[in-house]
Amino acid sequence: MTECVECGAEVSLHDDLEVGEIIDCTTCGAELEVVDTEPPVLERAPELEEDWGE
Amino acid sequence: AETITASVVGGSGFTGGELLRLLAGHPNVEISEVTSRSKAGKSVGSVHPPLRGSDLRFTEPDDLESVDVLFAATPHGVSMGRIDEFFEVADTVVDLSADFRLETEAQYDEWYDGHEAPEYLETAEYALPEINRENLAGADLIAGGGCNATATILGLYPLFEHGILEGSAERVVVDVKVGSSEGGAGGGEASSHPERSGVVRPYAPTGHRHEAEIEQFLGTSVAFTCHAVDMIRGASATSHVFPASPVSKGDLWQAYRGCYEDEPFVRMAAGGSGVYRYPEPKAVAGTNLGEVGFELDPSNERIVVFSAIDNMMKGSAGQAVHAANVALGLEETAGLEFTGLHPVGAP
Amino acid sequence: AETITASVVGGSGFTGGELLRLLAGHPNVEISEVTSRSKAGKSVGSVHPPLRGSDLRFTEPDDLESVDVLFAATPHGVSMGRIDEFFEVADTVVDLSADFRLETEAQYDEWYDGHEAPEYLETAEYALPEINRENLAGADLIAGGGCNATATILGLYPLFEHGILEGSAERVVVDVKVGSSEGGAGGGEASSHPERSGVVRPYAPTGHRHEAEIEQFLGTSVAFTCHAVDMIRGASATSHVFPASPVSKGDLWQAYRGCYEDEPFVRMAAGGSGVYRYPEPKAVAGTNLGEVGFELDPSNERIVVFSAIDNMMKGSAGQAVHAANVALGLEETAGLEFTGLHPVGAP
């Protein structure tokens, strides 16, 4: 378990975590990048701004 | 598990049918009677497809059987005239109309055509558990919230509860988009299929009745506008809020998680990834869920708050069953477990 | 009557097809060329049903033929790279993208990815005749307005033009509902039919590109939010305006009639009776008409302004043809006479 940087809720992590992996927070949906595994550290992943067209 | 007997007065309308559908699937409820003047004698399934095969038939709404809880899905103005009679046959009455929502007779004089049983207004409890749970336990008279007010209140409540808004200085604009079931089965020319399809139709440019209900629970006046859009069931409220002092995303998440993290029927949807990044009626259609989300707009000193519900469920029948579960000490989510469909068409 | 030659660069998209449909029916226009890299060699009717039977075929977008007027219906970023080439073959260029809408290079740095031909920004004229007619006569480079900005500007313009709003103190909230054609033919997962049907989906909670364009022409900042709804073509803008001092319905009618009474493409719809009391995309689908209306909300010191357009027409191709008619001294309504259908489904 670790905290989501966006909303502060608990983020459940699977055990064979890899640096660089993207995990989405199940509370706020934010995309988080694993920057360290022992202990697990998450940062906001650079999410590409979806182009809404028009 | 405990079983309670329930009846539905006014069971042939859309809301009455939704109540029947939920109560028929409720583990702790046995339906004893469903009344309808217009459909008396007909099977409930002939009017409401989800109930096909049920032997339940509509009965005349006079000389009601005694039950533990009576749900009134009648038009505005009916319950206030029959409330004494309802309490003669039931210990708990859940009214889905607007007849007992507001606190004072003066409000009914202003927004409706007065009130026939104002003495009940004091004791009536608002049905939305997320903001009134402690008063609902053991309540006798429960008043279901209006669907537009429910969507709006769910979105804004955490901002007031956690002091981000004090409710005096700030300007709040609420722009709602709703489905056609809000107008009920009847409705005039404007709700014929050719005229009602594919609209984005402002129909209550200044919605004072909704504003009165919202102001009562949030303590602030809101500028409200409603549009009919091409949905049958669903309400989406977008609130544009201008707080007196700047606020951070962290403050917002703290307020919303603080209010809703442990709520069984509120889901957060505030940005993130995927197709459904913000609350959307499609995502909650047929469920008792409310979706709530927000976006910060520093350049305009604005918070944009989104909330989406199914006006037939969280905005009406679902909220009534949820409130009854709380009042009667049943499992809160009993009979309300459905979590929606994906993909799905217009709700 | 006079005949001018016209070409469409980027004719296979929705907007390109709409332009073709209008130009093919225009009494003063002869289409000389329609380019499309992806559909080169194919007949225009194979892509755009309204043009079935036409012997016109898409050509490669290189070595363009010289024409009187060139319409560019290309994605953002294309025209700014080819503008010199366009002016080598045409006296008048009408660009439907955002490439020449804003006045300064700084705005493109902030909201887009900079600009490749900023020297043209000075002379480019905004295509909306209702607010820029005098500058359009004889203009060489015409920049089509964005659909959301067009809907918003049409609604609010009279309030600024007649001093009801000065553009400084007042708070203006714009809540827009749009159809799926705004995203063009492509679009990712979110625009697949199962996911895009039946939505009320906030997609630009804080729509800064639109705000920049609106602010440029109204001189005030607006707090903008956009929702996708279940329409293909259509945009409905509801503006919540809080004027510094009270205003009467008489003032409002004077301002709106003053600006629009003689305009061929603006219809007022502010209250009154019947099913269509306020502006509605269905009522203007396929036409170059904009519907504008308002409602006064004294208790909230608010004016609610409604405006509805067809984003493919008044918000794009129709506006381009209207502007070209003005620039080339043709009859303003030439080729734009269609006044809509009733009853009709989702636009």
Side-chain angles (χ1 to χ4, degrees):
Chain A
M1 276 296 189
T2 183
E3 239 185 46
C4 166
V5 292
E6 177 76 10
C7 73
E10 290 294 325
V11 182
S12 57
L13 302 172
H14 56 82
D15 19 42
D16 44 23
L17 212 56
E18 281 162 36
V19 171
E21 209 179 328
I22 303 289
I23 310 260
D24 61 293
C25 165
T26 49
T27 297
C28 72
E31 295 208 310
L32 307 170
E33 188 177 356
V34 178
V35 293
D36 205 331
T37 50
E38 276 104 37
V41 176
L42 304 176
E43 269 171 19
R44 203 155 185 356
E47 184 208 328
L48 51 90
E49 186 63 36
E50 186 171 343
D51 172 16
W52 303 112
E54 35 84 41
Chain B
E2 192 196 346
T3 297
I4 54 148
T5 55
S7 63
V8 176
V9 173
S12 63
F14 287 149
T15 311
E18 190 82 334
L19 262 174
L20 269 179
R21 177 175 71 80
L22 294 173
L23 296 175
H26 196 301
N28 310 96
V29 167
E30 191 203 301
I31 302 173
S32 70
E33 185 182 24
V34 187
T35 81
S36 164
R37 201 174 298 285
S38 58
K39 305 284 182 187
K42 289 211 176 306
S43 73
V44 293
S46 70
V47 177
H48 305 300
L51 295 158
R52 277 208 182 109
S54 160
D55 339 330
L56 213 50
R57 289 185 177 281
F58 292 108
T59 56
E60 292 289 344
D62 321 316
D63 48 62
L64 300 166
E65 294 162 12
S66 41
V67 283
D68 297 322
V69 55
L70 181 149
F71 291 90
T74 43
H76 300 326
V78 173
S79 302
M80 60 170 78
R82 303 188 59 189
I83 188 67
D84 294 325
E85 182 199 341
F86 288 166
F87 272 117
E88 275 152 29
V89 294
D91 307 329
T92 309
V93 174
V94 185
D95 178 36
L96 278 76
S97 83
D99 288 8
F100 298 98
R101 274 181 208 156
L102 301 179
E103 274 157 6
T104 65
E105 191 173 1
Q107 287 173 296
Y108 282 94
D109 293 337
E110 189 173 359
W111 306 119
Y112 295 90
D113 330 324
H115 204 288
E116 291 167 55
E119 66 281 12
Y120 281 97
L121 293 177
E122 276 275 330
T123 57
E125 288 299 343
Y126 197 63
L128 197 57
E130 286 81 2
I131 66 167
N132 199 31
R133 184 173 278 107
E134 52 299 331
N135 299 326
L136 279 170
D140 304 327
L141 175 55
I142 298 170
C147 20
N148 296 328
T150 297
T152 307
I153 290 168
L154 277 180
L156 297 175
Y157 176 66
L159 297 180
F160 290 92
E161 193 63 9
H162 286 258
I164 293 176
L165 295 179
E166 286 92 38
S168 49
E170 308 88 358
R171 172 79 63 199
V172 178
V173 173
V174 181
D175 191 305
V176 177
K177 297 88 183 165
V178 296
S180 52
S181 60
E182 278 213 5
E189 203 196 339
S191 51
S192 72
H193 185 267
E195 299 284 23
R196 181 62 180 72
S197 302
V199 301
V200 179
R201 174 176 294 163
Y203 79 89
T206 55
H208 298 301
R209 280 188 186 175
H210 313 287
E211 287 172 7
E213 189 177 340
I214 295 164
E215 281 161 43
Q216 183 175 286
F217 293 100
L218 298 182
T220 185
S221 75
V222 299
F224 187 93
T225 295
C226 208
H227 307 74
V229 294
D230 207 353
M231 288 189 298
I232 312 297
R233 50 169 73 210
S236 161
T238 300
S239 302
H240 306 270
V241 174
F242 299 89
S245 45
V247 68
S248 73
K249 259 206 167 169
D251 304 333
L252 292 175
W253 275 111
Q254 215 176 358
Y256 281 89
R257 280 181 53 230
C259 286
Y260 294 144
E261 195 156 41
D262 305 325
E263 285 294 343
F265 292 115
V266 181
R267 277 196 311 217
M268 293 304 299
S273 55
V275 170
Y276 297 82
R277 299 175 177 219
Y278 295 100
E280 226 192 287
K282 260 197 359 169
V284 292
T287 81
N288 192 47
L289 290 160
E291 280 192 342
V292 173
F294 52 80
E295 198 53 66
L296 208 52
D297 179 14
S299 63
N300 289 304
E301 294 160 8
R302 175 179 59 145
I303 309 167
V304 190
V305 178
F306 302 105
S307 45
I309 62 171
D310 176 333
N311 57 294
M312 303 281 301
M313 286 295 289
K314 189 66 174 167
S316 178
Q319 176 185 137
V321 172
H322 184 195
N325 285 346
V326 173
L328 302 166
L330 300 170
E331 174 56 44
E332 270 203 36
T333 57
L336 297 168
E337 292 83 3
F338 181 58
T339 55
L341 301 174
H342 175 256
V344 73
Chain C
E2 193 196 343
T3 298
I4 55 146
T5 54
S7 62
V8 175
V9 173
S12 64
F14 288 149
T15 312
E18 190 81 335
L19 261 173
L20 268 180
R21 177 176 71 79
L22 295 173
L23 296 175
H26 196 301
N28 309 99
V29 168
E30 192 204 302
I31 302 173
S32 67
E33 186 183 24
V34 187
T35 80
S36 163
R37 202 174 297 286
S38 58
K39 306 283 184 191
K42 290 214 174 309
S43 73
V44 293
S46 70
V47 176
H48 304 300
L51 295 158
R52 278 211 182 106
S54 159
D55 11 3
L56 213 51
R57 289 185 178 278
F58 293 108
T59 55
E60 292 289 346
D62 322 314
D63 49 63
L64 300 166
E65 294 162 11
S66 43
V67 283
D68 297 322
V69 56
L70 180 149
F71 292 88
T74 42
H76 302 325
V78 173
S79 302
M80 60 170 78
R82 302 188 60 190
I83 188 66
D84 294 324
E85 181 199 341
F86 288 165
F87 273 118
E88 274 153 30
V89 294
D91 306 330
T92 310
V93 174
V94 184
D95 178 37
L96 278 76
S97 81
D99 289 6
F100 299 100
R101 275 180 208 155
L102 301 180
E103 276 158 2
T104 65
E105 192 173 1
Q107 288 171 295
Y108 283 94
D109 294 338
E110 188 175 358
W111 306 118
Y112 296 89
D113 328 321
H115 205 289
E116 290 167 53
E119 66 279 11
Y120 281 96
L121 293 178
E122 272 271 340
T123 57
E125 288 298 343
Y126 197 62
L128 197 57
E130 285 80 1
I131 66 167
N132 199 29
R133 184 175 276 107
E134 52 300 333
N135 299 326
L136 279 170
D140 304 328
L141 174 55
I142 299 170
C147 21
N148 297 330
T150 298
T152 307
I153 290 168
L154 277 180
L156 296 176
Y157 176 66
L159 299 179
F160 290 92
E161 194 63 9
H162 286 261
I164 292 176
L165 295 179
E166 285 93 38
S168 48
E170 309 90 358
R171 170 79 63 199
V172 178
V173 173
V174 182
D175 192 304
V176 177
K177 297 87 183 167
V178 296
S180 51
S181 60
E182 278 212 4
E189 202 194 336
S191 49
S192 71
H193 185 266
E195 299 283 23
R196 181 62 179 71
S197 302
V199 301
V200 179
R201 173 176 294 163
Y203 77 86
T206 54
H208 299 301
R209 280 184 185 177
H210 314 291
E211 286 175 8
E213 189 177 338
I214 295 164
E215 280 161 40
Q216 182 173 288
F217 292 99
L218 297 182
T220 185
S221 74
V222 300
F224 188 93
T225 295
C226 208
H227 308 73
V229 295
D230 207 352
M231 288 190 298
I232 311 296
R233 49 169 74 209
S236 162
T238 299
S239 301
H240 307 269
V241 175
F242 300 89
S245 43
V247 68
S248 73
K249 261 209 163 166
D251 303 334
L252 292 176
W253 275 112
Q254 214 180 357
Y256 280 87
R257 281 181 50 239
C259 285
Y260 293 143
E261 198 158 36
D262 306 325
E263 285 294 344
F265 292 115
V266 181
R267 276 196 310 220
M268 294 303 299
S273 60
V275 171
Y276 298 82
R277 300 170 182 222
Y278 295 100
E280 227 193 287
K282 256 190 15 160
V284 293
T287 81
N288 192 47
L289 290 162
E291 281 192 341
V292 174
F294 52 79
E295 197 55 65
L296 209 51
D297 180 14
S299 65
N300 288 307
E301 294 159 8
R302 175 178 59 145
I303 309 167
V304 189
V305 179
F306 302 105
S307 45
I309 62 172
D310 176 332
N311 58 294
M312 301 282 302
M313 286 294 288
K314 190 66 175 167
S316 178
Q319 176 184 138
V321 172
H322 184 196
N325 284 346
V326 173
L328 301 167
L330 300 170
E331 173 56 42
E332 271 202 35
T333 58
L336 297 167
E337 293 83 2
F338 180 60
T339 54
L341 301 174
H342 175 253
V344 74

